[in-house]
Amino acid sequence: MKTKTILMTMLMAFTLNAEAKDYRVTSPDGQLVITIHADQQLTWEVKHGETTVLTPSEIGLNGAFQKMTGKVVAHTATVGNKQFSVEFRADNDAAAYRINVLNKKGITVHEETAEFNFAGDYQAFIPYVNDNRGGERYSFSFESYYDEQPLSKMFKDSLSINPLAVRLPEGKLAVIADMGATDYPGMFVQKNGEHGLKAAFAPYPTKEVIGGHARLNLVPTERANYIAKEVKGALPWRIVLVTTHDKQLLTARLPQRFGPKCQISDTSWIRPGKVAWDWWNATMLTGVPFRAGMNTDTYKYYIDFAAKNHLEYIIIDEGWSTDESLRSELNPEIDLLSLLPYAEKKGVGIILWSSWRNCINNTEEDFKYYASLGVKGFKVDFFDRDDQAVMRSAWKIADCAARHHLLLDYHGYRPTGIQVAFPNIVNFEGVKGLENSKWEPRVGDGPLHDQPRYDVSIPYLRQLVGPLDYTPGAMTNATRAEFFGNNDHPMSQGTRAHQVAMYTIFDAPLQMLADAPTKYEREQPTTDFIRQIPTVFDEVVALDGQIGEYVVLAKRKGSTWFVAAMTNWTPRDLTISLDMLSEGSHQAELFADGVNADRDATDYIKSTQTVKKGDTLKIHLAPGGGWSAIIK
C-alpha cells in the first residue's frame, strides 16, 4: 500500500511538471529577463544580468490563474485563458505586466494578487501611510517621508504607497510602481514574508460621511467585500524598474511609457506657467497701504506682482468660497467680478481652490460658470483617497474641466498616468512639500524631519509617476540649527540656492512661487533668476546623483540649458560636465551658495561666465545647499 502511494505521488508530480509552461521574455539589450511560470499558479521572476531582482512572485485575480497558455513576441509575452490574459513587457530598465479582463460585460474584482519577492534582506526606501483621514485605513494624503530600513524590518501592519525603492546587490535599484489606474484603485504595498512585498487595494466604499481634516473630506465608514466593480479590459501596469545607476530614475518617464491614451484632441489651449501663491505666506504683504489678507486689494497686488515678473497665474486659495458651495455665500471681501477682468488686462490668469468634496457637487454647472467668467483653472484639494470611486471621479472632473478649457491641480492624490489622458491636469501634490515647514517641530538640536534628504529623494521616486506641487521659493532660509516651524512667517530647511535649484529639478508645469510678493520684491535678484526658468522643457539629461544624497540634472528649453544641483545636509564638491551644450561659446548665469551659507542659509552669490561644450564646472554645495545655471 505504501509503495502504491509513493508511485502515485511520483506520477502526479511528473504530470504537473509536464503540464507546466514556462515563457521567457528578454529586453532589447538582453540584460533584463522575465521568466513566467504558468502552471497551477501564475508567477513571474526577474533577473538583470547576474542579479536576481525578483524570485517567483504570484500574479492573480479573484484567485489563482489556471490552465493558461501563451506566446512570446519579441520583448513581450501574453499568457491567458478564456477569462483573462496577462501581458508582460521587458524594457531595458523595466519589467512590467498588466492583467486584461476578457469578459465584455465586466466583472467584480474581490482581490488581486501582486507579489514582489526579493532574494535577500535588502535596504529599502519605504513611504509608509500615516496621518489617516478620520482614522480610516485607506484615506490618506499620499504624503510620506521615506523610512530607510531593511525589508525584514518593515512594519507588518502598515501600508506603504509607491514608488518604493529596494537597493539590490552591485549598487542596482529596483523600484516598485503602478501606472494606468484610472477606473481601478491605486496600489498600496505591504510586507510579504521575510523580504517580500505584496499589493493591497482599498475596497470599494459603500458609505461615506463628511469628516477628516477640517471636515473637508468624504471619509468611508463602510466598504464592500470587493475592490472594484464593472471591471473590463486592461488593469493597471505593475512595474519593477531596474537601474544600474540611480540617476537613470531621473529620466524614466513612466507616465509617458505606461499611461493611458490622451483624451483631448486639441491641447493648444493648455498653458503651463508659474504662479504667485497666497496660502503658504499667509497673504502677509508688508509696506502696503491696506490691510493684507483675503481681500480684493491683496489680490490686486498679487496680480500686479505676477504681471511685473512675467508670471502666468495667481491662485486664490481656501477661503474665497464656503466649504459647501462654489457659487453661493462667497467671501464678500473678494470681488471676483472685478479681479478677473483686472487680471485679464494684465495678462495674468486666476486659478481658484476647491475641496474635492465641494467640487463634485455641481461640477458641470460650476466649471461652465467660472470658465465663462475667465477663470483659468481649479486647484482641487483633499481627494485623500484612491479607491475606485475616487479614481472614477478624478477622471470625470478632468474630462469636464477639459471641455471648459480649465487647468487642474490635484491635491491629496497620487498620479498614476491620468495626466497623460488629460494633460490639463498640470500638477499633483502627494508630496511632503514646503507647506510642512509651517508646522515642522524641533526635536533636540534640529527639526524632526530631514527635509533636504527628502528633497534629494523625491526626484528619483515620487517624480517618477508625475509632476509634483512641492511649492518651492522660500525667501527665509535656515540652517539646521536655526530652523523652526512658524505658520505665519515660514522658512525652509537649507539654503536659498537649494530653493532656487528646485525650479529646475522638480517637474511642475504649474510651478508656485510660495513666498510673499513683497519678499520677492525685496529679493529681486533671486526673483529675476527664478522667473527665467520655464516650467516645461524639451529635453532632460540626468548628470549625476544618488537617491537621498544629491541630484544633478540638466534640462533644455529651446537652445537654453538649465542645470541644477541639490544636496542633503552633507556639504559636497561636485564636477559638472557641459557635454550637452552645442558647439560655440555660451554665456552662463550662475546662482550658488555663498561662502557663508553654512552659517547663514540666505547667503548666495550670482555670477556669469563664458562656457563651451566639453567644459567642466567645479561647484561647492553647502549643507542643505544648491546650485543653478542658466546657459544661453
Side-chain angles (χ1 to χ4, degrees):
M1 191 69 171
K2 186 176 180 181
T3 303
K4 184 178 179 182
T5 302
I6 293 171
L7 287 171
M8 287 180 65
T9 303
M10 291 174 64
L11 180 62
M12 287 176 63
F14 175 78
T15 302
L16 288 175
N17 187 57
E19 291 178 352
K21 296 181 176 65
D22 292 349
Y23 305 91
R24 180 184 171 99
V25 188
T26 305
S27 63
D29 67 1
Q31 288 296 297
L32 189 143
V33 178
I34 302 172
T35 302
I36 304 153
H37 306 287
D39 40 41
Q40 294 305 300
Q41 284 184 322
L42 180 63
T43 64
W44 71 324
E45 52 185 302
V46 180
K47 289 194 73 174
H48 186 274
E50 297 301 313
T51 305
T52 298
V53 179
L54 294 184
T55 59
S57 302
E58 186 179 355
I59 299 168
L61 198 70
N62 290 346
F65 288 149
Q66 296 177 341
K67 296 182 179 178
M68 304 189 89
T69 59
K71 62 179 179 179
V72 177
V73 179
H75 313 295
T76 65
T78 303
V79 299
N81 54 30
K82 292 181 179 180
Q83 296 174 296
F84 307 102
S85 67
V86 185
E87 176 186 355
F88 292 86
R89 174 172 150 186
D91 293 358
N92 289 340
D93 64 345
Y97 74 84
R98 64 178 174 182
I99 299 169
N100 286 276
V101 176
L102 303 181
N103 186 329
K104 294 182 179 180
K105 294 181 180 179
I107 66 169
T108 297
V109 176
H110 291 275
E111 62 174 347
E112 180 189 341
T113 302
E115 292 184 340
F116 308 92
N117 296 321
F118 292 90
D121 190 15
Y122 304 136
Q123 191 78 359
F125 284 73
I126 305 167
Y128 285 112
V129 169
N130 56 72
D131 190 25
N132 298 80
R133 302 306 189 195
E136 207 274 332
R137 179 169 174 79
Y138 300 99
S139 296
F140 176 56
S141 66
F142 303 95
E143 301 176 19
S144 302
Y145 292 108
Y146 297 101
D147 281 41
E148 299 174 38
Q149 58 187 170
L151 289 167
S152 64
K153 300 298 183 184
M154 281 186 70
F155 306 124
K156 240 188 257 187
D157 58 348
S158 295
L159 296 174
S160 167
I161 58 175
N162 76 78
L164 179 155
V166 177
R167 180 68 71 187
L168 300 173
E170 303 174 7
K172 297 179 182 180
L173 268 179
V175 179
I176 309 301
D178 68 335
M179 187 55 56
T182 53
D183 188 22
Y184 197 84
M187 184 177 76
F188 293 97
V189 180
Q190 59 188 9
K191 187 174 182 180
N192 185 41
E194 188 61 23
H195 35 71
L197 305 168
K198 64 180 178 180
F201 303 91
Y204 194 89
T206 56
K207 187 176 180 181
E208 302 167 328
V209 299
I210 296 172
H213 176 73
R215 292 177 55 80
L216 291 170
N217 295 110
L218 281 176
V219 179
T221 55
E222 295 179 12
R223 290 187 180 270
N225 66 348
Y226 54 86
I227 63 173
K229 59 183 180 179
E230 301 165 2
V231 175
K232 53 188 172 182
L235 273 61
W237 288 98
R238 311 298 174 215
I239 304 168
V240 183
L241 270 172
V242 184
T243 66
T244 55
H245 193 294
D246 293 9
K247 71 177 183 180
Q248 293 170 268
L249 295 174
L250 301 172
T251 54
R253 295 174 60 82
L254 288 187
Q256 290 75 17
R257 293 162 59 185
F258 294 95
K261 293 180 180 178
C262 183
Q263 303 294 302
I264 304 176
S265 56
D266 176 19
T267 60
S268 61
W269 58 272
I270 299 172
R271 184 189 182 204
K274 290 192 281 296
V275 188
W277 184 41
D278 56 352
W279 183 87
W280 192 78
N281 57 75
T283 57
M284 190 66 70
L285 302 176
T286 56
V288 295
F290 54 84
R291 183 71 174 175
M294 296 203 74
N295 56 55
T296 303
D297 285 338
T298 296
Y299 287 110
K300 280 188 174 180
Y301 197 99
Y302 276 75
I303 292 166
D304 291 343
F305 165 75
K308 184 172 66 175
N309 289 282
H310 308 290
L311 311 182
E312 288 79 2
Y313 300 99
I314 72 161
I315 280 183
I316 302 179
D317 214 284
E318 181 183 6
W320 69 274
S321 68
T322 70
D323 293 340
E324 306 302 326
S325 172
L326 293 178
R327 293 180 60 187
S328 64
E329 300 181 34
L330 303 183
N331 186 339
E333 298 297 316
I334 301 173
D335 185 359
L336 269 179
L337 295 182
S338 68
L339 283 173
L340 284 163
Y342 183 81
E344 186 74 23
K345 187 176 179 181
K346 298 264 185 175
V348 176
I350 292 179
I351 294 171
L352 300 176
W353 179 94
S354 171
S355 70
W356 167 67
R357 179 170 72 80
N358 203 350
C359 180
I360 61 177
N361 290 334
N362 297 286
T363 311
E364 181 68 38
E365 294 84 354
D366 289 344
F367 280 10
K368 181 179 180 180
Y369 172 73
Y370 282 108
S372 72
L373 294 181
V375 169
K376 303 303 181 185
F378 279 86
K379 172 182 172 180
V380 184
D381 208 346
F382 293 99
F383 280 85
D384 294 348
R385 287 161 45 195
D386 70 349
D387 50 50
Q388 188 189 32
V390 169
M391 301 302 259
R392 286 178 167 177
S393 173
W395 185 278
K396 290 178 181 177
I397 292 169
D399 179 67
C400 183
R403 285 188 279 106
H404 295 291
H405 286 195
L406 294 170
L407 302 179
L408 291 171
D409 177 1
Y410 277 179
H411 276 223
Y413 190 95
R414 185 184 61 86
T416 64
I418 190 174
Q419 69 272 28
V420 180
F422 294 99
N424 58 314
I425 307 178
V426 285
N427 262 25
F428 300 87
E429 195 183 31
V431 67
K432 283 285 187 185
L434 196 63
E435 67 175 4
N436 290 271
S437 67
K438 289 166 74 77
W439 50 77
E440 175 70 17
R442 285 184 67 86
V443 175
D445 61 352
L448 174 62
H449 296 103
D450 186 341
Q451 194 71 28
R453 185 170 183 82
Y454 181 75
D455 295 342
V456 293
S457 299
I458 52 178
Y460 301 91
L461 294 179
R462 165 60 183 82
Q463 197 162 280
L464 269 174
V465 294
L468 41 92
D469 201 2
Y470 183 100
T471 67
M475 293 294 102
T476 303
N477 318 106
T479 64
R480 187 176 181 279
E482 294 172 332
F483 176 88
F484 62 93
N486 188 310
N487 185 73
D488 289 344
H489 299 278
M491 64 185 71
S492 71
Q493 294 185 40
T495 69
R496 173 74 57 81
H498 187 91
Q499 288 289 303
V500 170
M502 292 176 178
Y503 286 89
T504 295
I505 291 172
F506 291 165
D507 291 339
L510 190 69
Q511 184 62 280
M512 308 287 170
L513 273 71
D515 222 324
T518 48
K519 283 192 176 181
Y520 288 119
E521 288 167 340
R522 288 197 298 270
E523 300 286 348
Q524 196 63 46
T526 301
T527 308
D528 288 342
F529 193 92
I530 290 172
R531 73 182 186 181
Q532 297 179 68
I533 303 172
T535 63
V536 293
F537 300 86
D538 301 321
E539 182 181 358
V540 180
V541 178
L543 298 180
D544 196 7
Q546 183 180 338
I547 182 172
E549 296 295 327
Y550 68 103
V551 57
V552 188
L553 202 57
K555 296 181 177 181
R556 179 182 59 81
K557 181 71 171 180
S559 60
T560 302
W561 281 94
F562 302 83
V563 190
M566 294 193 302
T567 183
N568 55 19
W569 284 122
T570 302
R572 62 186 82 232
D573 296 293
L574 300 174
T575 300
I576 295 178
S577 170
L578 300 182
D579 287 343
M580 81 291 292
L581 298 182
S582 60
E583 298 295 339
S585 62
H586 300 267
Q587 193 72 8
E589 183 179 355
L590 309 178
F591 195 106
D593 289 322
V595 69
N596 295 303
D598 60 328
R599 299 168 61 196
D600 180 350
T602 65
D603 187 31
Y604 69 90
I605 185 167
K606 284 180 72 176
S607 61
T608 60
Q609 70 180 82
T610 301
V611 296
K612 64 181 184 300
K613 181 181 179 68
D615 282 355
T616 57
L617 299 177
K618 294 187 182 300
I619 68 170
H620 176 74
L621 303 179
W627 177 92
S628 298
I630 300 173
I631 307 175
K632 298 180 181 178

